[in-house]
Amino acid sequence: MWKKNSLVLFTLLLAACGPRPPVPTPTASANQLQQEEQAVYAAVVKDLFPNANSIVLMETTSTDPGGVANTASTADYAARNLPGLAKATVENFKTRNAQSYNLSVDMQLGVQYVLLTQKQRNEIFGQNQSGWETFYQNYPNAPGITDLSRVGFNPSFDQALVYAGTLSNYLAGSGYYLLLVKTNGTWTVSQKVMTWIS
């Protein structure tokens, strides 16, 4: 009996001293992630359109004028041209932008905004050559039509990468990758690199 109990005790001691499973890395809840993303969007809007009262955003996210097809190559371009951009932030950006998503209709961006569907955009610009005139008749205070990507974050949620591109006429527009940092609870644009201009 004593030998049997000793063997059980020895086995338990061995198990207690053995390797332990890794502690999972904490991640943000879906609600926290949404709040952080909206805060990043608000900082981007403030940086790009400091005097705007209202903006027009495409309803679905994209990473360049063509959508999300070139996400990996454009994100790698941003990584090469934004010193200090963490690899984890870039990888999270690629993952979160593997496909397009619809932006929320109730974001708090610091300005009024309208979400424009692709169908509405086609209706405005597909009728005739005066599409921009029609657009500005409908949205007189908008600085153009802006695309946003989903936001890529580092694990500690104090660095973010986002794409924003705006067309304001047929041959007028530009697109940027923006690197943001969070200091004392506030997101600010730290660096940006232009990816296209027309």
Side-chain angles (χ1 to χ4, degrees), residues 141-160:
N141 298 316
I145 301 172
T146 299
D147 285 301
L148 292 173
S149 69
R150 298 196 84 188
V151 180
F153 294 100
N154 66 345
S156 54
F157 283 86
D158 57 8
Q159 186 182 86

Side-chain angles (χ1 to χ4, degrees), residues 7-127:
L7 184 59
V8 170
L9 184 59
F10 180 72
T11 304
L12 288 173
L13 282 172
L14 263 171
C17 295
R20 296 183 182 195
V23 177
T25 305
T27 56
S29 69
N31 188 43
Q32 290 171 316
L33 188 59
Q34 186 178 27
Q35 288 176 352
E36 292 290 353
E37 190 162 56
Q38 285 184 29
V40 167
Y41 288 153
V44 167
V45 167
K46 183 178 179 181
D47 182 84
L48 296 178
F49 312 113
N51 301 315
N53 296 320
S54 64
I55 59 174
V56 174
L57 301 172
M58 286 304 295
E59 179 185 50
T60 57
T61 59
S62 66
T63 58
D64 63 33
V68 294
N70 299 316
T71 296
S73 60
T74 55
D76 289 339
Y77 172 83
R80 289 191 303 273
N81 290 279
L82 292 171
L85 177 59
K87 184 177 180 181
T89 307
V90 176
E91 293 306 314
N92 184 252
F93 179 89
K94 290 178 184 179
T95 300
R96 299 195 75 228
N97 285 284
Q99 64 184 47
S100 292
Y101 290 86
N102 285 348
L103 293 173
S104 173
V105 296
D106 59 359
M107 296 185 292
Q108 303 299 314
L109 301 182
V111 297
Q112 294 180 342
Y113 68 94
V114 173
L115 295 180
L116 191 68
T117 67
Q118 188 60 51
K119 181 180 177 186
Q120 290 169 323
R121 184 174 181 163
N122 292 344
E123 288 171 357
I124 292 171
F125 293 97
Q127 296 174 8

Side-chain angles (χ1 to χ4, degrees), residues 145-196:
I145 301 172
T146 299
D147 285 301
L148 292 173
S149 69
R150 298 196 84 188
V151 180
F153 294 100
N154 66 345
S156 54
F157 283 86
D158 57 8
Q159 186 182 86
L161 177 66
V162 65
Y163 164 80
T166 302
L167 278 173
S168 56
N169 215 311
Y170 287 108
L171 292 174
S174 57
Y176 297 89
Y177 272 90
L178 299 99
L179 174 62
L180 294 92
V181 293
K182 187 178 184 182
T183 308
N184 298 323
T186 301
W187 286 103
T188 55
V189 175
S190 169
Q191 302 171 53
K192 56 187 168 188
V193 59
M194 183 180 287
T195 59
W196 63 269

